[in-house]
Amino acid sequence: MNWKRMVQILAGVAALVMAASLPVAAQMAPERPGIPGNPSQTGYASAMAKEAQGWLADLIRINTSNPPGNEQIAAMYIAGILAKEGIKAEILDLMPGRSAVVARLRSAAMADPSKALLLVAHLDTVPVDKSRWSVDPFGAVVKDGYLYGRGAIDDKGMLAANLAVFISLKRSMAHLNRDVIFLATADEETGGDASIRMLIAKHWEKIAAGYAINEGGNVFLKNGKVQYTGVQASEKVAFNVIARGTSGHASQPTKDNPVVHLAAAVAKIGNYSAPVHLTAIVKRYFEGLAPLEDDEIGKWIRSMDSADRGEHAQRVWRTT
Ligand SMILES: [Zn+2]
């Protein structure tokens, strides 16, 4: 199977799982964004989408709010699904109750890490304040054609999609020209002692790959058709703001208290509006995006770096 085809399958299955596989309500309301009915999704793809939707619902029902995570139960659930397909998965225990799970489809007797493709997603979710939810966040409730649940988007949808791609490759006995590795990680949300840092430190040989597909990009659908597959080219970088001074006490406020300086710095950052700077990649992105948007938005996207209308275009884009 060639590379392009594999990416197409991934995009297609991801799109199906995340947006097009909740059938009845979707077909009755094709104008709804997100979950349109798509008559072209027939046969194997729609059957697989249904299966993946079941895995997604099960994964949502397993509470992996981090902290504490408790990802081991979800890791074992996935290992169980893979075992039924004849794929041997390995549970990698990182901390008590916290595990990742990894599996590999081989293309040759000897793995070539520089060629391997890694499909990675995380098992944990951010915590939840149940009082602010209209449905049970761990109930995997389907309402109005949407599946609701903590982690449905971040990142259990991708997890189920990756699983669907991986299992599809196995079932179809695809002739792989590279190893494909499935990895579900723990502790992504807080990046602590059960996170991918530990996997890299302890189990590098099991996950080393030439290419990795991770969360960050997205597949954009319109009326059930994939418009584009977003690829993230870079990652935001964090900077620390450090203030130094004399620590205070309620009875003795100090003039050089670092907290006061820090507050002033944070306020300054809050008021700062970064100038728009279109790099070559961003420019290319907008060029590709403009024809896919409606005429009005497309027009402003094309004007983004024009001398006279650029500033207004940037404001329009920021509020779109
Ligand atoms: Zn995430």
Side-chain angles (χ1 to χ4, degrees), residues 76-151:
M76 286 166 75
Y77 170 78
I78 288 173
I81 291 170
L82 292 171
K84 276 187 214 146
E85 302 291 329
I87 302 169
K88 203 180 151 324
E90 194 177 351
I91 304 269
L92 305 171
D93 294 328
L94 299 160
M95 286 174 74
R98 311 198 70 172
S99 314
V101 56
V102 67
R104 179 184 291 262
L105 296 176
R106 287 192 183 281
S107 77
M110 285 281 275
D112 177 355
S114 69
K115 278 182 78 180
L117 170 67
L118 178 73
L119 303 177
V120 57
H122 61 90
L123 297 158
D124 59 321
T125 70
V126 289
V128 62
D129 175 358
K130 280 193 180 187
S131 69
R132 302 186 64 174
W133 281 64
S134 59
V135 295
D136 175 3
F138 304 106
V141 176
V142 176
K143 217 169 111 183
D144 301 329
Y146 286 85
L147 177 64
Y148 288 81
R150 170 52 87 220

Side-chain angles (χ1 to χ4, degrees), residues 1 126 188 236 291:
M1 177 165 297
V126 289
E188 191 272 347
K236 65 179 181 281

Side-chain angles (χ1 to χ4, degrees), residues 275-313:
V276 170
H277 167 65
L278 300 186
T279 62
I281 288 178
V282 173
K283 233 177 180 168
R284 183 74 194 86
Y285 168 70
F286 282 132
E287 278 166 18
L289 197 62
L292 300 172
E293 293 286 347
D294 64 45
D295 289 352
E296 180 67 13
I297 299 293
K299 182 184 79 185
W300 289 116
I301 290 177
R302 289 189 186 91
S303 310
M304 203 75 79
D305 62 346
S306 79
D308 52 338
R309 302 198 299 168
E311 230 170 85
H312 183 66

Side-chain angles (χ1 to χ4, degrees), residues 122 154-155 188-189 215:
H122 61 90
D154 184 8
D155 190 26
E188 191 272 347
E189 298 292 359
E215 64 178 328

Side-chain angles (χ1 to χ4, degrees), residues 95-273:
M95 286 174 74
R98 311 198 70 172
S99 314
V101 56
V102 67
R104 179 184 291 262
L105 296 176
R106 287 192 183 281
S107 77
M110 285 281 275
D112 177 355
S114 69
K115 278 182 78 180
L117 170 67
L118 178 73
L119 303 177
V120 57
H122 61 90
L123 297 158
D124 59 321
T125 70
V126 289
V128 62
D129 175 358
K130 280 193 180 187
S131 69
R132 302 186 64 174
W133 281 64
S134 59
V135 295
D136 175 3
F138 304 106
V141 176
V142 176
K143 217 169 111 183
D144 301 329
Y146 286 85
L147 177 64
Y148 288 81
R150 170 52 87 220
I153 292 173
D154 184 8
D155 190 26
K156 289 178 173 174
M158 182 160 191
L159 195 56
N162 284 356
L163 202 53
V165 171
F166 196 69
I167 286 173
S168 296
L169 290 173
K170 165 78 173 159
R171 284 184 191 168
S172 65
M173 294 186 285
H175 180 70
L176 300 172
N177 59 8
R178 63 189 68 234
D179 281 11
V180 179
I181 306 165
F182 172 90
L183 174 67
T185 64
D187 204 9
E188 191 272 347
E189 298 292 359
T190 59
D193 289 341
S195 72
I196 191 141
R197 278 194 297 122
M198 295 310 289
L199 292 176
I200 290 168
K202 286 184 174 173
H203 300 289
W204 177 245
E205 77 291 348
K206 295 186 173 107
I207 61 171
Y211 305 90
I213 297 182
N214 194 4
E215 64 178 328
N218 59 356
V219 180
F220 185 76
L221 290 155
K222 210 175 193 174
N223 300 324
K225 277 183 75 180
V226 175
Q227 301 293 301
Y228 66 85
T229 302
V231 177
Q232 181 183 327
S234 184
E235 181 62 275
K236 65 179 181 281
V237 180
F239 285 93
N240 295 323
V241 179
I242 298 169
R244 291 197 169 81
T246 311
S247 58
H249 183 271
S251 63
Q252 284 177 315
T254 54
K255 275 274 175 253
D256 63 340
N257 189 314
V259 177
V260 177
H261 292 284
L262 202 56
V266 171
K268 233 176 176 177
I269 294 166
N271 289 323
Y272 177 69
S273 182

